[in-house]
Amino acid sequence: MPDRPAYLRIADTLREGIRDGSLPQGTRLPTMVELCSSHGVSEIVVRQAVALLRQEGLVETRRGGGTVVRVVPPARRVAMDRYRAVARPLAVPETAFTRDQRITWEEYRLDKEFSRVRADAELGALFELPTGTELLRRRFVFHARDEPQQISVNFLPWDLVGDTPVSDPAREPWPGGTLAQLAYLGHPPTRVEEAVRSRMPTPEEAETLRLTGGVPVLAITRRMLSRATVMEVCRDIVLPADRVVLDYSIDL
């Protein structure tokens, strides 16, 4: 069996050091000269090894600061029962996001874009409504302590929310979030459905969430129903995959 290419062997060595802690987060990797000397290879080979680790999201190259082991914030656990937690009366302003992040209302910021659109075939199927139905589209970027953590694009039937405070971007953020808004409109959600997939971020998502190369995202498609009627579709909730653990529990 032929030997593995030199750049893969170098990447294996550095990756093992990152995972076992001998190269802690924030640590600068050995210089190009040092790596060439210790492994007896050319600069091109070392660059290939470092590029591979960068693609895997393990290291990042900083202008004037060399290549360092990427600092990954602790993953936050996101559980389905977060929706139940904000459905009850609120003693203090909060949403599912502020609870997930364990932040106060003052540490929460929401960027928003509202527009009026018509349902494409996929949205029509998710809503169980005809294609072309008018919808309110809301794109949110959620910030915790000024750090972007989540993007969501959600849709509500225009005949439900048009000319109500829910369609006014100035009213965001709304304590209790979409759950509270639907309850305000007289349609409290009784069921939440989520479908989760992983993918690589779009360039816009990577820039918005300040993602380094090689970091995938979790994309969650959500439906909120009030009895048998679909009241809201979120396509999608986008989360950096290295910052989140999704917890699901099923009572049997």
Side-chain angles (χ1 to χ4, degrees), residues 117-129 135 155 233 235:
V117 301
R118 292 189 178 275
D120 59 21
E122 182 184 5
L123 281 171
L126 288 167
F127 270 108
E128 301 172 14
L129 292 172
L135 305 171
F155 299 85
V233 169
R235 190 189 68 179

Side-chain angles (χ1 to χ4, degrees), residues 56-130:
E56 295 173 2
L58 295 176
V59 302
E60 58 185 344
T61 301
R62 300 173 180 172
R63 182 174 298 178
T67 300
V68 300
V69 179
R70 183 167 165 264
V71 177
V72 181
R76 59 187 173 95
R77 306 194 74 88
V78 177
M80 276 295 289
D81 63 4
R82 68 190 184 279
Y83 294 117
R84 187 178 300 114
V86 297
R88 61 175 182 260
L90 302 175
V92 295
E94 62 179 20
T95 66
F97 176 78
T98 62
R99 288 178 59 86
D100 288 345
Q101 294 284 340
R102 294 184 174 87
I103 58 173
T104 66
W105 196 250
E106 291 70 28
E107 294 171 313
Y108 173 39
R109 192 178 94 239
L110 188 67
D111 297 340
K112 61 263 187 180
E113 299 173 7
F114 284 37
S115 58
R116 193 170 173 176
V117 301
R118 292 189 178 275
D120 59 21
E122 182 184 5
L123 281 171
L126 288 167
F127 270 108
E128 301 172 14
L129 292 172

